[in-house]
Amino acid sequence: MRIGVFLFGGVEMADAGPGGPEPTDRRYDQAAIEHAHRELLSCGELAERLGYDSFWLTEHHFQHEGYEVVPNGLMFSAFLAARTSRIRIGTMFNVVGQWHPLRLAEDFALLHNLSGGRGILGVGRGTVPREMLPLTAGTVSVGSYDNPSAARADRLNREITEESLDILDAAFTNERFSYSGKHFCVPPPGIPDRGGEVRELTLVPRPRYPFQTWQAVTSPPTLRAVPTRGFGGVFWLRERHRLAADWRAFAETFEQVHGRPLERGQRRMLVLNVAVGDTRAQAMATVRAGHDEFWRFLAPYGWGRGYVGPDGRPADGSFVPTLEDSMAQGPWAVGTADEVAAHIAALDDLLGLTDLVIFPAMPGDPYDRAREQMERFVHEVVPLLPAGSVAAI
C-alpha cells in the first residue's frame, strides 16, 4: 500500500462550520490566499520528510470563498518539486475541459521531466460551472449524467474530455502526431510554414520517464470509461458497500476490455478523510466543524450522491450527511489511532488497497492542524496497520 496526502489548499477560517457565514458570502484578501500557498508548500515538504509516497494538490478557479485557492496544480507542483527530491506530486484533478489538451501535455511533460519523473497526471471533468464557463468562453460546462436539465452540458463535457485525452495520448506516445475529431482538429488545416503546410506536430518536450494517469470516478459512465482507457481510478466519498461494488465493476470492465485481470486493488485509489485524536470523542469534536463546512461547500454540487440515504437507498443530489453518517458509511475515519487503523484495515480486507491517499485537513482548518494530522497518521496509525501492508514510510 502506497500512502499519499491530498489537501484542498484553502485559507484558514476561524468560523468554519454551520455557524459561519454563507459560503458565497466568504471573501478573503490576497494576504490570506498567499499565506495558504506558503503553508501548502510547507505541508508538501513535510510530506516528503515523513515518508509519504505522494502529495496531491487541486486545480480550481475564482473561489473567493477560500476553499481551494490553487488555480494551477502543475505550476504549484513545479515549486514543490524544486523544494523536494523524492515525493511524487499530482493534481486532483487537472480539469481537462478547461485546458487546451496540448498546453496540458506540454506543461505536464515539463514538470515531469524537470522533477526527475515525479509527476503524476491527474485528470477530471470538473465540478463547478462557474469555473469552467469563463475559461472556455462560455462553451463548456459540467453537468450530471442523472440530471436531465444538465444532460447537454454533461454530454458535451464528456465528448471534449475524451477527445482531449486522445490528443494527450497521441502527443505523449508519438514523435509526430495529428488528430481529427468532432471538437478538435490538431493541427488545424491550412497553417503555412516555410513554404509548406503544417500537417503534423511534435510535442516538445515529451515525457522522458514513465508516469501514471489517474482519473476521478464519480458516475456510472466514468466507471466504464476510465478502465476502458486503462487509467487508474480514484474513488472518494462512497458508502463502503457501494464503493466495493464500483471497485469490482472497475476491475471487471478492465478485464473485459484488455483481456487480463487486475490484481486485487490494482489501478484503484481510495481517498479517505481522516481525523486522529486522543479519544474518539475528541477526534469527532475537532473535525466536526470542518466536516460540516466541507458539505456546506460541496453538497450544492451533488457530492452526497455517493452515500446511502435515511431510507437505505442510494442518496440523491440533495443529501447532506452528518459526521455520524460519514463515519458509519465509511468515507471518514475518525477516532483514536487504533480506531483509524482498524477502519483502514477493514477497507483493505473489503477492497485490497494498493494506493491510499488521506485527506487530513478539512476546509478552514489551520495548517498547524494539517501538519499535526499528517504527523500523527505516520507515527501513530501506520505502525498499527498489518505488517507488510505499507510501502516504506
Side-chain angles (χ1 to χ4, degrees), residues 205-229:
R206 288 161 59 201
R208 179 183 172 191
Y209 307 92
F211 63 92
Q212 295 180 333
T213 304
W214 293 87
Q215 184 170 350
V217 175
T218 58
S219 67
T222 309
L223 181 59
R224 287 201 59 83
V226 176
T228 296
R229 193 173 281 279

Side-chain angles (χ1 to χ4, degrees), residues 113-301:
N113 291 353
L114 290 179
S115 68
R118 292 189 286 135
I120 311 170
L121 183 59
V123 294
R125 297 194 312 107
T127 302
V128 187
R130 185 185 65 189
E131 298 186 9
M132 294 199 74
L133 285 164
L135 293 172
T136 61
T139 60
V140 183
S141 186
V142 59
S144 170
Y145 78 99
D146 59 355
N147 180 356
S149 67
R152 182 181 178 280
D154 184 66
R155 183 173 60 254
L156 178 63
N157 181 296
R158 291 180 188 277
E159 289 176 355
I160 287 176
T161 298
E162 290 303 311
E163 287 198 14
S164 295
L165 294 175
D166 287 342
I167 293 170
L168 284 172
D169 180 63
F172 285 150
T173 58
N174 298 283
E175 199 278 330
R176 299 179 181 182
F177 70 95
S178 62
Y179 180 87
S180 181
K182 180 178 178 181
H183 300 284
F184 292 96
C185 184
V186 178
I191 299 176
D193 186 54
R194 300 177 186 179
E197 184 175 312
V198 178
R199 300 185 184 277
E200 295 175 314
L201 295 175
T202 297
L203 192 72
V204 179
R206 288 161 59 201
R208 179 183 172 191
Y209 307 92
F211 63 92
Q212 295 180 333
T213 304
W214 293 87
Q215 184 170 350
V217 175
T218 58
S219 67
T222 309
L223 181 59
R224 287 201 59 83
V226 176
T228 296
R229 193 173 281 279
F231 292 168
V234 180
F235 296 79
W236 191 23
L237 302 175
R238 307 289 284 179
E239 183 272 332
R240 60 173 56 84
H241 298 294
R242 298 183 65 191
L243 170 64
D246 287 352
W247 201 264
R248 291 191 299 270
F250 185 101
E252 290 165 1
T253 298
F254 185 93
E255 184 171 5
Q256 291 167 4
V257 173
H258 300 281
R260 58 184 176 87
L262 291 175
E263 296 180 9
R264 192 167 185 261
Q266 186 182 13
R267 292 185 189 246
R268 283 153 288 174
M269 177 185 293
L270 179 66
V271 179
L272 181 66
N273 295 21
V274 300
V276 184
D278 294 335
T279 66
R280 182 183 177 91
Q282 181 201 46
M284 291 179 68
T286 305
V287 80
R288 188 179 295 278
H291 171 279
D292 293 349
E293 191 68 44
F294 182 101
W295 287 107
R296 295 176 77 218
F297 170 34
L298 291 173
Y301 300 112

Side-chain angles (χ1 to χ4, degrees), residues 10-17 26 28 65-68 293 363-366:
V11 304
E12 298 178 342
M13 301 174 181
D15 53 4
R26 291 189 181 277
Y28 292 90
E65 302 96 326
Y67 294 118
E68 298 161 309
E293 191 68 44
D365 274 356

